[in-house]
Amino acid sequence: MVIKLDESKTHIISALVLNKPGVLQRVAGLFTRRGYNIENITVGTSEQENLARMTIIAKGDEKVLEQITKQLNKLIDVIKVRDLDPDITVKRELCLIKVHTSTEKNRSEIIQYANIFRGRIIDVSPETLTIEITGSPEKIEALIDLVRTFGIKEIARTGPTAISRGNKTI
Amino acid sequence: MKGGEAIIKSLMDQGVETVFGYPGGVLLPLYDVLYDSDLRHILVRHEQCAAHAADGFARASGKVGVCIGTSGPGATNLITGIATAYMDSSPVLAIAGQVATGLIGNDAFQEVDTIGITMPITKHNYQAMKADEIPGMIRSAFYIASTGRNGPVVIDLPKNVQEEEFEYELAKDIELPGYKPTMKGHPLQVKKAAKMIMNSKKPVILAGGGIILSDASKELLRFSNMIHAPVTTSLMGKGSIPEDNLLSLGMLGMHGRKTSNLIIDDCDCLISIGCRFSDRTTGSLTEFAKNAKIVHIDVDPAEIGKNVDVDVPIVGDAKIILNDLINVVGKAKDENKNHSVWLKHVIDFKNTCMPRLSFDDIPLKPQQVIKELSEAIDDDTIVTTDVGQNQMWMAHYFTSRNPRKFISSGGLGTMGFGFPAAMGAKIAMPDNDVVAVCGDGGFLMVCQDLATVKEYDIPVVICVLDNRRLGMVSQWQKLFYNKRMSYTDLGQSPDFVKLAESFGVSAERVEKPGEMYETVKKAIRSDEPYLIDVVIDPDEILPMVPAGCGLTEIVGEYKVERETPGEILYKPIGTDKSGD
Ligand SMILES: Cc1ncc(C[n+]2csc(CCOP(=O)(O)OP(=O)(O)O)c2C)c(N)n1
Ligand SMILES: [Mg+2]
């Protein structure tokens, strides 16, 4: 059997796109239509007024990645596309976790965990605590695993966004 | 000025003289302006024909073809034509009516998400939400459709926007920060390619539709002569080189010429220009040109490395890059670019397997029909085809001598394309004769537009290759599905001659050798629309490469011109020293 080593390598693609209706649909549609394996897309405004930045996490080998970048570049509303080098890229995600708190003991334990992960408690109710945490997706996973035993009622994640370290811009 | 007027004015500013369309509720304001404008509007009888006609117009002339359809069903009827243009990179502008902006999203009467539906089948699309966007939008649409890799653009036009009053201003310079097609090839890549070509012993050029789109036929011929490289083409590249030229091998691929398929297998350097390596052209990718280093020239960077791994890619316009190559290679020593031994070897082989065209059988063999057709028309005649056996027979047997004179739906393979495309081609090029070669199945899908060619007196000649079958599908059933002819028999209806006559179009039936020539001559001379019902042998099969096989694995008898006993074997160059 031939094993393609980097078949499922995860890529972080950063794209500057025109900030107008339909652009997300164009990009998402491209991925579905061409059968690219997409894990996540985030969109938000960028440093330029009329441009938005999309961060796309996709899986595939080098050839697939090359096709993704080229096909994205073909979209008229896409201005720039860059595959970010994971070694010099910071990747961050925001996550909100609503945890069930049956006892006072649980409550203080959860608050402790949140503190260790530099999370914040942003909402409290008699039976729940809501934690806000930002960080790498791995860090978020770790906190989720820890508080799972208490009973997670709801999770909302933004999906990762990313930027290159240092001077580099796209 | 009103939005509707701005549309017409902007189109005319782009040099548009004729549009193909069909009105409807939301287009009333636009059609009200059309009523007494100088823009010529051809009322087709089905929106699909408007789109195909605009496409045929574009392919014949190189100019953007324009079609119009109303919202909802009008827009969806345009879809097949838009997708056809997209697959073959044809510059078409489709204007679709839309419900008023206030109603969008409410499932209003005849509302459909045209933008969403056409996103994957257009180069770009626009929705005009305000009238003052129109002038810039139309300019951008034309620019996008006709530059870089050409393709269709859709403008979705709500009813109230057509009625909105605004201060018309000539569109300022268009701003498309995300669209900068690369036209010039990278000089280093050009040098690398030149070196690879000169180091090769057995170069072959594969010319695609990109040669025709970039108007690079002369350069192609010059370059291939300079390096003694034979030229094969994709379906879209047919006509990019005169096919009666010594260097031309004819089409490559599933239904390609034997010469092309075998030579590609042997070549050591393949220079592909403006060809996207579709599966119909390459056959099995692992087998394709397996002995060759590959130079790939394409204006669309995304085509490079998509299907075939490439040794030297050059992104840019075919004409510019061919000129660069001619410059670089032209300066080299003669012995470096001389491949004449190879070329002679190829031509010798080509001569052994020229397909046989003459048959005196009744019912007529398609080869004989095409031979007589070729003799009856001149080199400037524009020929369109439909899809199916009729198309592949034409691609295989018809000798095309000029670019933009062979028009066919390649990528999408759209039945019903041939006739309306011919209509558009004739409007674009009124001084050229135009002949559509169609299947009986495909023609019936669009026959209602006989009314259009009659009413507007558009003198196209329609040849219906009448085998009473969905020939191509039945060919596959015969070859690969145990002769189980599931739903491919078309029966005896209609009588195509009477059908045409009911539209007031002259028509004639052709059944015997010699009749085709006479009738085509007569039809062209008549200078009015004319239908020829050509009764052909339904059992004739074009040799083919089964899907997924290598290009050399041709099945079906390959009937050749020369009476050579036994099978024609290809001997790679250098191996024929022992004598035959
Ligand atoms: C719109 C559309 N529907 C179905 C097909 C599938 N198809 C390809 S060839 C063919 C048969 C065409 O029959 P006809 O038009 O009579 O041409 P022939 O092959 O007999 O020359 C069919 C059904 C197609 N290409 N396009
Ligand atoms: Mg038929």
Side-chain angles (χ1 to χ4, degrees):
Chain A
M1 198 177 83
V2 188
I3 301 166
K4 278 198 198 151
L5 282 176
D6 53 356
E7 186 150 47
S8 55
K9 199 172 157 205
T10 302
H11 300 274
I12 314 163
I13 300 161
S14 183
L16 273 178
V17 303
L18 290 184
N19 196 358
K20 60 182 203 187
V23 181
L24 182 59
Q25 191 187 353
R26 286 181 206 279
V27 171
L30 178 76
F31 277 81
T32 338
R33 175 164 68 98
R34 299 223 174 240
Y36 303 142
N37 211 334
I38 188 170
E39 290 193 345
N40 203 84
I41 296 191
T42 59
V43 205
T45 51
S46 73
E47 69 284 357
Q48 293 171 64
E49 199 187 330
N50 55 338
L51 301 186
R53 185 178 302 278
M54 272 187 197
T55 308
I56 301 159
I57 314 284
K59 269 195 172 166
D61 60 15
E62 288 305 314
K63 213 177 150 165
V64 171
L65 175 75
E66 188 185 323
Q67 267 297 306
I68 293 178
T69 342
K70 285 173 167 177
Q71 295 292 352
L72 278 173
N73 262 316
K74 269 173 76 169
L75 297 177
I76 310 279
D77 290 344
V78 172
I79 310 293
K80 255 190 204 168
V81 182
R82 166 96 24 103
D83 173 36
L84 300 179
D85 177 352
D87 292 342
I88 51 159
T89 298
V90 273
K91 194 160 78 167
R92 290 293 180 269
E93 183 177 359
L94 169 69
C95 175
L96 306 178
I97 314 166
K98 188 178 287 181
V99 194
H100 185 69
T101 53
S102 44
T103 65
E104 203 47 48
K105 186 167 162 281
N106 282 356
R107 202 173 271 270
S108 60
E109 239 178 280
I110 292 165
I111 295 174
Q112 269 184 26
Y113 284 143
N115 285 337
I116 295 169
F117 279 80
R118 293 181 208 284
R120 296 195 300 147
I121 305 300
I122 53 166
D123 187 50
V124 185
S125 77
E127 303 219 321
T128 62
L129 273 178
T130 301
I131 314 169
E132 172 200 304
I133 173 178
T134 60
S136 67
E138 296 74 27
K139 173 178 158 189
I140 291 173
E141 291 298 336
L143 177 61
I144 292 175
D145 276 349
L146 271 178
V147 296
R148 199 181 298 279
T149 45
F150 303 101
I152 294 175
K153 291 180 83 85
E154 223 171 16
I155 291 181
R157 296 176 72 158
T158 58
T161 188
I163 205 160
S164 298
R165 291 184 189 278
N167 265 340
K168 227 174 166 173
T169 59
I170 83 155
Chain B
M1 182 181 288
K2 283 193 174 153
E5 290 169 69
I7 295 271
I8 312 277
K9 181 164 168 34
S10 304
L11 288 175
M12 292 177 72
D13 284 347
Q14 292 293 328
V16 178
E17 290 168 5
T18 310
V19 296
F20 305 88
Y22 208 97
V26 301
L27 285 179
L28 281 163
L30 179 70
Y31 272 75
D32 194 53
V33 185
L34 263 175
Y35 188 58
D36 42 19
S37 90
D38 293 330
L39 187 62
R40 183 180 182 207
H41 174 274
I42 306 252
L43 176 68
V44 293
R45 298 307 196 256
H46 188 301
E47 289 90 347
Q48 182 180 350
C49 289
H52 289 325
D55 189 352
F57 178 101
R59 295 188 202 212
S61 65
K63 291 188 274 192
V64 177
V66 182
C67 57
I68 304 176
T70 192
S71 66
T76 52
N77 274 349
L78 288 173
I79 297 297
T80 303
I82 296 170
T84 305
Y86 182 68
M87 289 294 270
D88 291 344
S89 310
S90 182
V92 167
L93 171 63
I95 298 176
Q98 184 56 279
V99 301
T101 49
L103 292 174
I104 290 179
N106 291 358
D107 300 319
F109 178 62
Q110 295 191 327
E111 180 188 357
V112 78
D113 176 13
T114 303
I115 291 292
I117 293 173
T118 58
M119 235 172 231
I121 53 163
T122 51
K123 190 166 169 188
H124 195 52
N125 59 17
Y126 288 105
Q127 189 168 48
M129 295 303 277
K130 291 203 305 290
D132 64 7
E133 295 171 0
I134 288 171
M137 205 170 264
I138 296 225
R139 250 187 99 173
S140 306
F142 270 76
Y143 180 68
I144 290 170
S146 61
T147 53
R149 179 177 183 173
N150 288 192
V153 175
V154 163
I155 293 184
D156 196 38
L157 188 63
K159 183 173 188 182
N160 58 321
V161 177
Q162 299 162 44
E163 286 163 334
E164 188 191 330
E165 280 283 355
F166 76 112
E167 200 68 45
Y168 180 89
E169 258 182 83
L170 206 66
K172 293 172 243 85
D173 280 345
I174 41 178
E175 252 182 76
L176 294 166
Y179 180 64
K180 294 193 185 67
T182 309
M183 300 306 278
K184 284 197 184 130
H186 197 290
L188 270 179
Q189 293 300 95
V190 173
K191 282 214 182 91
K192 262 197 214 164
K195 202 166 157 199
M196 183 174 284
I197 294 164
M198 288 192 285
N199 283 335
S200 73
K201 301 223 154 26
K202 304 186 276 186
V204 171
I205 295 176
L206 167 57
I211 296 279
I212 294 172
L213 282 162
S214 90
D215 184 26
S217 288
K218 284 208 182 72
E219 289 76 10
L220 171 65
L221 198 57
R222 254 190 86 192
F223 185 59
S224 51
N225 267 306
M226 181 180 268
I227 60 167
H228 308 105
V231 180
T232 180
T233 75
S234 64
L235 177 70
M236 299 316 295
K238 194 173 167 75
S240 60
I241 180 164
E243 290 186 300
D244 51 359
N245 189 290
L246 261 189
L247 291 169
S248 165
L249 305 183
M251 187 178 76
L252 178 73
M254 178 177 272
H255 296 283
R257 288 272 176 105
K258 188 162 187 161
T259 321
S260 299
N261 286 11
L262 297 194
I263 293 298
I264 280 281
D265 197 52
D266 187 28
C267 76
D268 68 351
C269 177
L270 176 65
I271 308 141
S272 167
I273 314 171
C275 171
R276 65 182 173 89
F277 294 116
S278 97
D279 55 285
R280 288 302 193 256
T281 300
T282 61
S284 156
L285 283 173
T286 45
E287 288 298 308
F288 179 69
K290 58 182 183 292
N291 302 311
K293 292 251 194 270
I294 297 181
V295 177
H296 189 182
I297 300 167
D298 206 295
V299 74
D300 179 358
E303 286 306 335
I304 307 244
K306 187 182 80 180
N307 294 345
V308 168
D309 289 332
V310 175
D311 298 281
V312 182
I314 315 178
V315 176
D317 175 68
K319 190 183 183 109
I320 298 176
I321 292 170
L322 271 168
N323 274 322
D324 292 347
L325 279 170
I326 290 169
N327 271 336
V328 176
V329 177
K331 287 188 198 119
K333 290 196 207 105
D334 270 354
E335 66 248 41
N336 289 339
K337 52 192 178 212
N338 189 332
H339 301 103
S340 53
V341 178
W342 159 246
L343 183 61
K344 182 176 178 307
H345 163 83
V346 174
I347 292 171
D348 286 347
F349 179 65
K350 171 174 128 179
N351 287 336
T352 64
C353 49
M354 289 302 278
R356 177 179 163 196
L357 294 179
S358 300
F359 291 84
D360 46 20
D361 307 49
I362 300 174
L364 285 161
K365 291 278 185 203
Q367 294 92 320
Q368 174 71 19
V369 173
I370 290 171
K371 176 173 172 266
E372 290 184 30
L373 169 68
S374 311
E375 286 161 358
I377 62 180
D378 62 36
D379 286 356
D380 291 327
T381 303
I382 298 167
V383 179
T384 71
T385 80
D386 215 72
V387 166
Q389 287 183 319
N390 60 87
Q391 174 187 39
M392 287 303 131
W393 281 321
M394 284 297 285
H396 196 100
Y397 297 117
F398 181 77
T399 303
S400 181
R401 294 184 181 83
N402 284 302
R404 298 196 180 279
K405 301 291 178 284
F406 183 90
I407 294 174
S408 192
S409 162
L412 201 67
T414 309
M415 281 172 74
F417 172 81
F419 166 45
M423 190 161 85
K426 183 68 192 178
I427 298 285
M429 312 294 282
D431 297 333
N432 297 59
D433 299 328
V434 178
V435 178
V437 176
C438 305
D440 44 355
F443 176 68
L444 210 51
M445 286 188 171
V446 289
C447 64
Q448 75 287 331
D449 268 75
L450 282 170
T452 312
V453 288
K454 175 65 188 175
E455 290 298 331
Y456 291 91
D457 193 16
I458 306 169
V460 293
V461 180
I462 305 151
C463 308
V464 178
L465 300 194
D466 185 350
N467 54 9
R468 297 286 153 183
R469 278 195 197 160
L470 300 176
M472 184 56 89
V473 182
S474 79
Q475 166 163 346
W476 286 55
Q477 290 170 335
K478 216 179 287 174
L479 292 173
F480 312 119
Y481 288 85
N482 277 325
K483 305 199 171 92
R484 286 158 56 83
M485 316 305 273
S486 180
Y487 301 103
T488 45
D489 186 333
L490 289 173
Q492 288 316 303
S493 175
D495 177 327
F496 284 98
V497 173
K498 283 192 186 148
L499 174 77
E501 283 169 356
S502 78
F503 283 91
V505 170
S506 310
E508 207 162 321
R509 184 162 296 124
V510 157
E511 287 167 303
K512 293 203 264 312
E515 290 180 359
M516 181 70 180
Y517 176 84
E518 289 304 328
T519 316
V520 172
K521 281 269 179 212
K522 186 164 134 195
I524 289 175
R525 236 182 289 124
S526 79
D527 204 27
E528 57 176 45
Y530 210 102
L531 183 143
I532 308 175
D533 178 30
V534 193
V535 181
I536 57 162
D537 181 356
D539 293 320
E540 182 62 22
I541 278 187
L542 180 65
M544 68 177 290
V545 177
C549 290
L551 287 181
T552 57
E553 299 169 59
I554 302 169
V555 301
E557 188 198 350
Y558 201 87
K559 295 169 189 149
V560 292
E561 205 172 48
R562 242 171 46 175
E563 302 270 333
T564 338
E567 201 189 336
I568 301 160
L569 290 176
Y570 176 72
K571 296 195 193 78
I573 192 166
T575 58
D576 57 350
K577 295 230 168 65
S578 55
D580 289 10

